[in-house]
Amino acid sequence: MSPTQQSAFQANPYVGSYEALTGSGLSNLSAAIQVAETYLDGKPALRGKHKVAQVDRDSSFWSAAFLKSMPPAFWSTDVARLALARYLAQTRVSSPALLAHVAQIAPDAVCCAIRYSRMALNPIPARRAELEEIAGFTPAIHEQRQILEIFDQAHIERRQELEAWQARFANLSPFELLIYASLHAFQNVVPNEFDAQSWQSSTRRSVETIWYATSDLLAWKLKTAPESSIKLSEQQVAHSVATHMSPFLFPSTSGPMPRHDLRSAYENLLAAQIELNEFISRSVDAYSYDESIRFVRHGSRLEIEVVNLAMRDKWRRDGEKLSLIHGYWFYRAFEKFASSEIATQQIGSRENHEANRLAYIRAIRNQLRLDEVYGIDESVMLESGERVDLFQALLSLELTSAFFQRDFLQRYVELLHESRNWLAALGRLAWNGLVEGSQNRFPITWSAREEKVRSIVGWTVNRQSPKGSLAMAASILDFWTNDLATLAARLRKDESGLQPELFERPFLKLGQSVVQLPWVTGLQNNSTAAINNLRRIGARRAESKEETRRIEERLGKLFESRGFQVLMNWHPDSESYPGAGEIDLICFRDGAILVIEVKSTFLRHSEQEAWLHGKSTLRRAGKQLMRKVDAVQSALKDDPDIRSTFGIEYGGLIPEVRGWIVDTSIEHDHERFDGFLKISMEEIIIALRDDRRLLNDPAGILNSLPLKTQSTNVTLSPALKSLYPDEFSALRFFEVIETEEVWVEALSLI
């Protein structure tokens, strides 16, 4: 880099980089694309020893003079549209002249950026003013501005409705809000979800919709409630229960009257929150991120038109694949359980044995998946620095779920059938608990932390601790606990950070009390809870890097079991192969080389999360893999050590090199990023193990059955035809993956 270029880089890193790239012979267009990629990737991250703030990157990039000379072809690229979307989504930097220029030469790019920036939900006044200025340039931008106005009005109406109902609960504590949430759940959720007579698989989504809305209402209450109402004392709990719950369950003419007004208001509050959430997910996010549809305006009304049915169907199929994967791991766990010593032993009491067996199998399922897909070790470190035995933590939550299913939900549904009155059934459930041994059988439970630790110590029994371990029980409780006081403090300060969903950390700490919601813990998918507890909420744990290394190591061993020669974590020379970095896996067999880029994240539930994953992590992975594949191809020609590693003779035929992105998530399955196929880790595992039969629910116990009726008395059907009828080979394996043959049989049965 010349002294002039060096000075320019220090003044504006993007200008300096652009000039350096064009000076090296790259075209103006290619150089601008690379610089835009750098900007999207949050680089430069440092200037000397100091971190570069995002506002400084925004200012430098959007003031770069070369952008004004870029042709429409640049603004039509995905990277330029994503950069424009970032501009429209930020508040501190203005470049109205450049935006107007782009609107004139590439209006489609501006329209796309409007959607990508989520302006339908976040109308930043400065950016909206700039859109007003350019709206007359083309009919397309004018139309998008009018569509945004319809979204604005719809959003305002829903926010106002929600805030009106929130005002009715302004003086209630978070605990009291959860009381009304629990009453609502036992009236409306539990019978539909847990009763075999009325259960349908379609109810699962509606239940999760209620959970997410409840999480949002709890966050609102934590942010607005006095700190004293969050750090609960025994006296506060007793007063709240006596005022807001006992009158419903134990009505008395001499005691407080049940607050039916608040119970009815809560139904409206929840409905308003669900309506807002559904507006965001089904309208705003669909408008912003769903390329398979478009919104068409008819006056003040919007309609959705499908423009790519195959793309829309793919989103549904990816969801079906995820459901099949849950079943796959259950059957893997059953096979492991059936061959273990504990399969012949009684687990717990005789009456609870079958439920405990099922909980044990589910815990094995969760551990297998965390081990093979996410690289989680046998123990994990908590934020406190203590370690917790992972299997015991998983088993404890499964046993907690089984306990709530048996002693709360199933018993409640039985009482409901007898009484035909949900409040009478809830009252009898709570009363029977008090009579039968002072057990809390209320629709929401609470206890002191020490008491909760003692109550779950029996679930930590193993060979090393035949009577259980209080220390282990305490660590397990901490592993699954969401400290609401800490969360409330962060919410009040508007600090960034992830909020655990109700099912991800289902033990809610309010002061010295631990609160649980049987209608969540008894029905939730604990596999998703465990994955997201570690990989979403705990993504920045100190062990996460080591876990990623273990993912690569275990995947490499699986390839080796199929006769591949595997080179792991190869570092090509940075001078000879600039930008390649570490290559996760290079697998060689049958004259073909496969380069794998491994990505590990979490289980997503929204279209926004899936879109962001594709446009950030997977987009970067495609760029990375391009450099890595180029490095491997060059090394096979020039590096004798690499050729020797794979037994390739000098001067011989250079093997075909292909690259795959292997990702722990299902989103964007079998899409291509910079030409490279993205595949789920589980598909790779199933294809290498050749056990796709387990996707098909071979014993018929998972499909269309409520949780409580799943059985451990499983007889597996004969195996499906092997994926490799003429023996395993690399080329056949590649064909199996690239044609999605793993899924063909299973998806056809849905």
Side-chain angles (χ1 to χ4, degrees):
M1 189 181 295
S2 69
T4 302
Q5 291 172 329
Q6 178 71 31
S7 175
F9 183 83
Q10 291 173 348
N12 187 322
Y14 302 114
V15 172
S17 179
Y18 175 77
E19 293 178 351
L21 290 168
T22 53
S24 68
L26 210 61
S27 70
N28 291 350
L29 178 60
S30 297
I33 290 172
Q34 283 199 29
V35 173
E37 291 276 6
T38 302
Y39 167 65
L40 285 180
D41 291 345
K43 298 175 182 177
L46 297 173
R47 182 169 291 165
K49 295 182 179 180
H50 302 285
K51 289 185 177 180
V52 178
Q54 182 59 46
V55 64
D56 294 326
R57 285 191 287 268
D58 292 335
S59 179
S60 295
F61 184 78
W62 293 109
S63 64
F66 69 84
L67 290 176
K68 297 177 183 178
S69 65
M70 285 298 107
F74 170 75
W75 298 106
S76 297
T77 63
D78 195 42
V79 64
R81 294 180 176 197
L82 290 170
L84 269 177
R86 178 170 292 182
Y87 170 78
L88 293 176
Q90 55 81 43
T91 60
R92 296 185 180 183
V93 175
S94 291
S95 187
L98 178 58
L99 184 64
H101 171 70
V102 177
Q104 290 174 323
I105 66 170
D108 287 349
V110 176
C111 292
C112 183
I114 288 171
R115 300 199 333 269
Y116 285 176
S117 65
R118 223 182 182 204
M119 292 187 83
L121 188 68
N122 302 311
I124 297 169
R127 303 291 82 77
R128 282 296 184 88
E130 291 171 3
L131 283 184
E132 290 288 338
E133 292 295 322
I134 65 174
F137 288 6
T138 68
I141 296 177
H142 176 74
E143 184 66 15
Q144 291 305 312
R145 184 184 65 81
Q146 290 191 300
I147 288 175
L148 290 180
E149 289 180 355
I150 295 174
F151 273 109
D152 289 345
Q153 185 59 37
H155 186 211
I156 290 170
E157 290 172 359
R158 285 159 177 79
R159 285 296 323 173
Q160 289 176 341
E161 177 74 6
L162 176 62
E163 289 167 2
W165 289 109
Q166 285 175 338
R168 295 287 302 275
F169 292 84
N171 297 324
L172 266 63
S173 70
F175 180 68
E176 291 164 347
L177 183 74
L178 289 174
I179 286 176
Y180 286 97
S182 300
L183 289 170
H184 175 84
F186 272 86
Q187 180 186 11
N188 299 286
V189 176
V190 175
N192 290 332
E193 177 70 8
F194 204 73
D195 184 0
Q197 298 182 35
S198 61
W199 193 90
Q200 296 178 356
S201 58
S202 60
T203 62
R204 168 59 54 180
R205 186 185 184 282
S206 64
V207 170
E208 292 176 350
T209 297
I210 291 173
W211 291 349
Y212 288 123
T214 306
S215 289
D216 291 335
L217 291 173
L218 178 59
W220 157 73
K221 178 50 67 176
L222 291 172
K223 185 175 183 178
T224 57
E227 186 175 353
S228 59
S229 71
I230 297 171
K231 296 182 177 179
L232 282 179
S233 65
E234 289 186 19
Q235 292 79 9
Q236 286 174 305
V237 171
H239 179 267
S240 295
V241 170
T243 304
H244 296 282
M245 184 158 56
S246 292
F248 288 102
L249 307 184
F250 312 119
S252 169
T253 55
S254 59
M257 297 296 293
R259 294 294 304 271
H260 285 290
D261 60 324
L262 287 178
R263 185 179 64 79
S264 177
Y266 182 81
E267 292 185 2
N268 291 312
L269 172 66
L270 181 65
Q273 183 68 64
I274 290 174
E275 174 62 26
L276 176 61
N277 290 358
E278 294 288 276
F279 166 73
I280 292 171
S281 65
R282 296 187 178 184
S283 297
V284 171
D285 288 353
Y287 168 78
S288 301
Y289 311 122
D290 191 344
E291 303 285 359
S292 72
I293 62 172
R294 67 178 178 182
F295 280 69
V296 179
R297 185 177 61 87
H298 297 282
S300 61
R301 182 172 52 85
L302 295 177
E303 289 186 358
I304 293 176
E305 289 186 1
V306 177
V307 296
N308 190 325
L309 187 60
M311 185 183 294
R312 196 161 181 81
D313 185 60
K314 185 183 179 306
W315 174 263
R316 176 187 59 80
R317 283 169 60 87
D318 284 350
E320 291 172 350
K321 286 180 181 180
L322 187 58
S323 298
L324 292 169
I325 284 170
H326 284 303
Y328 168 82
W329 289 109
F330 178 86
Y331 279 104
R332 283 279 308 275
F334 176 79
E335 289 183 335
K336 183 174 181 178
F337 174 81
S339 62
S340 68
E341 293 181 3
I342 199 168
T344 60
Q345 300 172 7
Q346 180 174 304
I347 305 177
S349 63
R350 181 176 300 176
E351 60 271 21
N352 296 336
H353 169 66
E354 184 68 18
N356 291 342
R357 277 167 57 101
L358 182 57
Y360 201 93
I361 293 171
R362 286 175 173 167
I364 295 174
R365 170 199 63 184
N366 300 343
Q367 186 177 42
L368 278 173
R369 192 176 187 187
L370 288 168
D371 174 20
E372 296 186 23
V373 179
Y374 295 91
I376 310 295
D377 216 348
E378 293 181 354
S379 67
V380 294
M381 185 174 293
L382 304 177
E383 296 169 0
S384 64
E386 297 182 9
R387 300 198 73 83
V388 61
D389 182 282
L390 181 62
F391 181 75
Q392 290 297 144
L394 297 172
L395 179 59
S396 293
L397 186 59
E398 291 292 356
L399 289 169
T400 300
S401 294
F403 166 67
F404 281 140
Q405 289 172 20
R406 181 185 63 248
D407 288 8
F408 281 73
L409 308 184
Q410 183 175 342
R411 183 57 182 146
Y412 166 73
V413 169
E414 292 169 353
L415 293 170
L416 182 60
H417 279 301
E418 293 176 11
S419 65
R420 300 295 177 182
N421 182 295
W422 71 276
L423 278 177
L426 264 186
R428 286 182 60 189
L429 179 68
W431 179 253
N432 290 344
L434 296 173
V435 171
E436 293 170 4
S438 299
Q439 299 295 314
N440 188 329
R441 296 293 183 269
F442 288 86
I444 180 174
T445 71
W446 64 94
S447 61
R449 183 179 183 279
E450 294 76 13
E451 182 183 344
K452 177 57 68 175
V453 169
R454 288 193 298 271
S455 71
I456 66 174
V457 74
W459 294 341
T460 65
V461 171
N462 55 32
R463 289 181 177 178
Q464 292 73 32
S465 303
K467 295 184 178 180
S469 165
L470 283 171
M472 185 185 297
S475 296
I476 289 170
L477 182 60
D478 291 341
F479 179 76
W480 294 114
T481 291
N482 181 6
D483 189 334
L484 297 187
T486 300
L487 176 60
R490 183 160 54 78
L491 291 171
R492 283 195 290 268
K493 295 177 183 177
D494 288 323
E495 293 179 351
S496 61
L498 296 172
Q499 174 191 337
E501 301 292 350
L502 290 177
F503 63 89
E504 290 173 335
R505 292 188 176 176
F507 292 83
L508 309 178
K509 186 173 183 288
L510 283 163
Q512 294 304 308
S513 294
V514 176
V515 174
Q516 285 186 272
L517 307 174
W519 50 278
V520 174
T521 311
L523 297 172
Q524 69 184 44
N525 184 322
N526 290 327
S527 178
T528 300
I531 291 167
N532 281 8
N533 187 355
L534 291 163
R535 298 301 303 172
R536 190 179 85 89
I537 306 302
R540 296 188 178 182
R541 292 174 299 112
E543 295 178 304
S544 60
K545 283 189 176 181
E546 179 63 18
E547 289 164 1
T548 300
R549 187 195 63 78
R550 284 197 292 266
I551 294 171
E552 298 161 0
E553 180 181 281
R554 290 165 190 177
L555 183 59
K557 289 180 178 178
L558 192 54
F559 271 96
E560 287 176 342
S561 73
R562 280 298 190 174
F564 284 89
Q565 292 173 261
V566 177
L567 178 61
M568 295 179 51
N569 308 124
W570 180 54
H571 289 264
D573 179 70
S574 59
E575 293 186 5
S576 302
Y577 312 105
E582 180 183 271
I583 299 178
D584 296 336
L585 292 173
I586 307 174
C587 307
F588 173 74
R589 178 181 161 147
D590 302 334
I593 291 243
L594 175 64
V595 179
I596 293 179
E597 176 75 4
V598 174
K599 294 299 176 184
S600 177
T601 52
F602 59 93
L603 297 180
R604 295 167 183 81
H605 82 276
S606 74
E607 198 163 9
Q608 181 193 24
E609 290 175 337
W611 183 87
L612 288 171
H613 183 53
K615 296 299 185 183
S616 55
T617 303
L618 297 179
R619 177 185 60 81
R620 289 194 297 268
K623 300 294 181 186
Q624 293 166 342
L625 194 51
M626 180 181 293
R627 294 190 291 268
K628 296 175 193 296
V629 167
D630 288 345
V632 171
Q633 287 176 327
S634 298
L636 289 171
K637 298 175 184 176
D638 306 328
D639 190 333
D641 291 335
I642 287 293
R643 288 198 303 273
S644 175
T645 297
F646 297 117
I648 301 169
E649 295 183 3
Y650 182 77
L653 186 67
I654 300 299
E656 175 191 3
V657 179
R658 68 184 73 202
W660 287 349
I661 302 166
V662 177
D663 181 28
T664 58
S665 67
I666 201 71
E667 288 83 20
H668 303 283
D669 204 30
H670 281 267
E671 294 180 24
R672 290 187 179 269
F673 295 84
D674 271 281
F676 298 107
L677 195 65
K678 179 270 175 191
I679 313 126
S680 69
M681 177 72 71
E682 275 135 325
E683 181 174 348
I684 296 289
I685 291 172
I686 294 166
L688 288 172
R689 286 174 52 88
D690 195 16
D691 59 357
R692 62 172 174 160
R693 79 191 196 286
L694 301 182
L695 286 169
N696 289 14
D697 192 10
I701 65 170
L702 300 174
N703 226 3
S704 299
L705 287 177
L707 297 175
K708 74 183 182 70
T709 61
Q710 291 180 7
S711 171
T712 61
N713 298 316
V714 177
T715 301
L716 297 183
S717 62
L720 287 175
K721 182 180 177 182
S722 170
L723 292 166
Y724 314 101
D726 300 322
E727 76 179 3
F728 184 93
S729 70
L731 292 180
R732 172 57 184 160
F733 170 67
F734 297 154
E735 180 185 17
V736 164
I737 294 298
E738 291 172 358
T739 61
E740 299 189 71
E741 199 165 331
V742 162
W743 305 104
V744 170
E745 294 283 349
L747 287 173
S748 68
L749 298 175
I750 294 178

